Amino acid sequence: FPVTIDTLKKVTNLDYYYKKETTDNDKEYKATQGRYNENYYNEEKGAESYYLGSASKELNLYKKPIEEGHLTAFGDGKDPITKQTIFKTKQAKSHFTDMTLSAPKFFTCAKLADKENEEKYNIIFDKAVERTIKKMEEIVYRRVKKGTVEKVKDCKTMVFVFKHHTSRPVE
């Protein structure tokens, strides 16, 4: 089954991903941010997380858990394990993209109705996410500016997967 891409946006502020969970009573946060931070990316107590993408294979991180401090290291342009610089900080902050992948409603409803096979549904969804990332890597490119803009398809992607099973409350 296909996954749906709910959001796809350039990351302009890495600090958002480090915010602590807020409560429904945090009116100031809601007023300034437009919605509540649902704590998906919190490195201290976040959701199940792991690496995907060809760059994660090169750094020997593929399918390993994202540990506390890893996002910060990448934001600083460093390998989270060796602490060696892998790209300039300016590049790191301008090359993050936030993408939310979700299962179609029929799939989540079937999973909820079939509690006996819940783990099978999780495996199916995980494989669909992996296939989606692999397909995206086939079409992603970087721009090289030498006189005229050139598209070069030799990009390696580092994908941070944060799994969560929550939904926004319905009022």
Side-chain angles (χ1 to χ4, degrees):
F1 78 95
V3 295
T4 59
I5 299 175
D6 292 337
T7 61
L8 182 63
K9 63 182 178 182
K10 181 178 177 155
V11 173
T12 57
N13 180 8
L14 284 176
D15 292 338
Y16 166 80
Y17 299 91
Y18 308 123
K19 287 191 183 302
K20 304 293 186 245
E21 185 173 12
T22 58
T23 67
D24 286 344
N25 295 327
D26 191 346
K27 303 294 183 204
E28 182 181 333
Y29 184 85
K30 175 125 173 106
T32 59
Q33 301 297 317
R35 61 188 174 87
Y36 294 111
N37 180 349
E38 284 136 352
N39 199 28
Y40 302 154
Y41 313 101
N42 187 330
E43 293 182 78
E44 291 176 13
K45 60 176 185 169
E48 176 189 350
S49 60
Y50 55 92
Y51 293 96
L52 287 180
S54 55
S56 70
K57 289 178 182 176
E58 287 190 11
L59 293 174
N60 199 27
L61 293 169
Y62 189 74
K63 290 199 174 180
K64 290 186 179 176
I66 298 169
E67 297 176 13
E68 186 173 345
H70 282 200
L71 287 177
T72 304
F74 277 110
D76 292 338
K78 304 207 181 296
D79 179 312
I81 307 301
T82 66
K83 306 301 184 212
Q84 291 181 309
T85 300
I86 52 179
F87 44 79
K88 295 176 186 170
T89 306
K90 183 180 176 189
Q91 289 175 324
K93 292 187 177 21
S94 65
H95 287 75
F96 279 73
T97 301
D98 186 329
M99 178 174 65
T100 303
L101 299 176
S102 299
K105 189 61 81 180
F106 76 86
F107 184 83
T108 54
C109 289
K111 177 183 169 184
L112 287 171
D114 188 8
K115 288 288 187 194
E116 196 174 289
N117 292 304
E118 186 173 2
E119 189 53 34
K120 288 180 184 178
Y121 285 93
N122 291 338
I123 291 168
I124 290 167
F125 181 72
D126 290 348
K127 287 184 186 291
V129 168
E130 285 181 57
R131 283 194 311 269
T132 302
I133 298 303
K134 200 170 197 172
K135 282 290 185 195
M136 290 186 80
E137 283 192 315
E138 292 173 10
I139 61 170
V140 78
Y141 63 89
R142 64 186 171 96
R143 290 188 330 208
V144 178
K145 207 169 193 178
K146 292 181 182 173
T148 61
V149 176
E150 205 179 302
K151 293 179 181 178
V152 181
K153 288 195 173 193
D154 65 350
C155 291
K156 305 269 188 235
T157 61
M158 175 66 70
V159 178
F160 307 99
V161 175
F162 292 90
K163 292 174 67 172
H164 66 91
H165 306 280
T166 59
S167 61
R168 290 180 293 279
V170 178
E171 294 183 29

